[in-house]
């Protein structure tokens, strides 16, 4: 018997996931819950889904094994808590939640129920993050010294996603503090470092003065005046991170990326389509390697070698060069059916890997990457960073709810067999 997955939210993002869940060999059935009837019906028709629910609450009464939550950013925490209490395994789009207390409750619930929770952090499978993870874990980076990562997404490209479900009050949600959505940036650095987590943070905010009236006191649910926030974090391993979460910036691609990550033996730097690794071991000779062909998409690498190809004219093309697989990604571990592999659309080809992790984790009862202990450590530093920004950069302690407790068998995605 395969799994039954209930998708919650038929908005823009979840459209990229219905077919991945449906065509995964360990899944038997997919259902949809959506508040807006026409959106629900259209989604069900488009994806050939026959079981529909009017809301998360209705779906939680069903026999679904798992729910996959794709609702608006600020709603996840309470929904995840409800779903775990109803006995469902949970996949949640980022962020985890917007309150530290909610994240704490989710950690406690997973500890008690031993249900699987996984946050769908797309950047975990972004080539720059995979590369830094590989270099750190192999020891070639040495001890971690410093990393800088960012997620840049200018608000003018965000109007539509917020308007889609926000109605007249869409700006109240669009003004979410940028550091309430820090997981793309923090996740890329912390997932490379395994057990390290943020212990202290200081953050500065850029007070927004754009005429669209999204950021400012009284203009959003959080009274948030900042469209851009920069945090400096001290990690438990002694290293330092600089994290930028910017929503008003004249920059398009890459959107989330590690610009530099350095250890005592080696370092990685990225500038647009160029990825450089340098190694400088003690007693050895420094070596520079251009690793761009492993990290850029297979399509970009192929096209960029053609005569007359112009980086300036092409590098910003999202569909062609930022949404499909790169050589560093081990797609041989994914279900080898054509439909599944062709669905590698969006966010550097990460979606099929995330769905595969979650489904295998539940079916084989193993703890996936981006489990609640990882996810809490990606998310909480951002929530505290925003509090620091509101106090003009005051240095603050970051609460930590611990690493993965004993008794779990880990899913090691790249070592597990395909199905
Ligand atoms: N790279 C990434 O990881 C990435 C990219 C894009 C979006 N996202 C995340 O995906 C999520 C969804 O974004 P979106 O742009 O698709 O939003 P959206 O507003 O288009 O869709 C959300 C849908 O959830 C529905 N919904 C809300 N409450 C519900 C309930 N109780 N029961 C059933 N349905 C409910 C809404 O009616 C809406 O249709 C967000 O959390 C966002 O952060 C992540």
């Amino acid at each position: 018997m395969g799994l039954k997955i209930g998708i919650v939210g038929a908005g823009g993002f979840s459209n990229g996931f219905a077919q991945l869940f449906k065509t995964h060999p360990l899944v038997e059935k997919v259902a949809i819950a959506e508040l807006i009837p026409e959106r629900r019906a259209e989604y069900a028709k488009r994806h050939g889904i026959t079981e529909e629910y009017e809301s998360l609450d209705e779906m939680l009464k069903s026999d679904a094994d798992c729910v996959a939550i794709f609702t608006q950013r600020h709603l996840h925490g309470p929904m995840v808590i409800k779903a775990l209490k109803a006995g469902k395994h949970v996949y949640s789009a980022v962020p985890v939640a917007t309150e530290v207390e909610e994240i704490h409750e989710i950690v406690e619930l997973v500890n008690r129920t031993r249900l699987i929770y996984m946050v769908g952090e797309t950047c975990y499978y972004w080539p720059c993050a995979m590369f830094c993870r590989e270099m750190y874990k192999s020891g070639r980076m040495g001890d971690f010294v410093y990393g800088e990562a960012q997620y840049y997404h200018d608000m003018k490209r965000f109007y539509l996603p917020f308007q889609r479900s926000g109605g007249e009050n869409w700006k109240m949600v669009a003004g979410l503090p940028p550091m309430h959505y820090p997981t793309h940036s923090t996740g890329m650095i912390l997932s490379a470092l395994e057990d390290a987590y943020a212990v202290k943070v200081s953050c500065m905010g850029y007070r927004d003065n754009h005429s669209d009236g999204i950021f400012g006191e009284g203009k959003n649910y959080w009274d948030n005046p900042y469209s851009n926030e920069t945090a400096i974090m001290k990690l438990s391993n002694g290293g330092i991170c600089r994290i930028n979460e910017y929503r008003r910036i004249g920059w398009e691609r890459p959107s989330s990326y590690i610009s530099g990550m350095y250890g005592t033996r080696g370092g990685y730097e990225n500038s647009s389509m160029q990825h450089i690794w340098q190694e400088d071991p003690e007693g050895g000779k420094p070596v520079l390697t251009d690793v761009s062909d492993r990290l850029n998409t297979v399509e970009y690498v192929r096209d960029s070698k053609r005569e007359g190809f112009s980086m300036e004219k092409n590098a910003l093309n999202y569909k062609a060069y930022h949404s499909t697989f790169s050589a560093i990604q081990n797609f041989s571990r994914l279900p080898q059916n054509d439909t599944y592999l062709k669905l590698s659309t969006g966010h550097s080809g990460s979606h099929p890997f995330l769905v595969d992790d979650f489904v295998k984790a539940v079916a084989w009862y193993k703890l996936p990457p981006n489990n609640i202990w990882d996810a809490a450590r990606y998310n909480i530093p951002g929530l505290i960073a925003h509090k620091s920004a509101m106090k003009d950069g005051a240095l603050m302690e970051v609460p930590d709810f611990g690493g993965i407790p004993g008794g779990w068998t880990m899913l090691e995605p790249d070592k597990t067999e395909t199905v």
Side-chain angles (χ1 to χ4, degrees), residues 7-15 17 33-36 39 53-57 69-76 79 82 93-95 120-123 126 151 153 158 160-162 164-166 181 183-184 256 347 350-351 354:
I7 293 177
V8 187
F13 192 50
S14 86
N15 267 296
F17 287 82
E34 166 59 51
L35 296 179
I36 302 170
R39 195 175 283 182
Y53 295 93
E54 288 176 4
S55 65
L56 166 74
D57 290 356
I69 296 178
F70 292 96
T71 58
Q72 294 93 313
R73 289 157 184 72
H74 62 303
L75 303 178
H76 301 167
M79 288 186 168
K82 261 190 190 175
V94 291
E121 181 39 75
T122 43
C123 288
W126 280 43
Y151 171 43
H153 197 147
F158 253 166
L160 193 63
F162 284 110
R164 194 162 44 222
S165 306
Y181 193 101
T183 60
H184 293 331
S256 351
H347 302 103
S350 57
H351 302 178
L354 293 171

Side-chain angles (χ1 to χ4, degrees), residues 273-288:
M273 308 308 275
Q274 190 177 49
H275 303 264
I276 298 293
W277 166 247
Q278 287 192 34
E279 233 160 336
D280 190 10
E282 250 164 72
K285 244 177 101 184
V287 180
L288 183 152

Side-chain angles (χ1 to χ4, degrees), residues 79-119:
M79 288 186 168
V80 170
I81 289 168
K82 261 190 190 175
L84 289 169
K85 284 185 175 165
K88 310 294 183 194
H89 301 285
V90 178
Y91 177 99
S92 169
V94 291
V96 184
T98 55
E99 300 288 342
V100 175
E101 294 71 26
E102 288 169 353
I103 298 178
H104 191 198
E105 190 172 349
I106 298 170
V107 172
E108 295 289 296
L109 274 166
V110 175
N111 257 327
R112 202 174 72 232
T113 60
R114 295 186 75 79
L115 290 160
I116 301 290
Y117 167 93
M118 181 180 135
V119 76

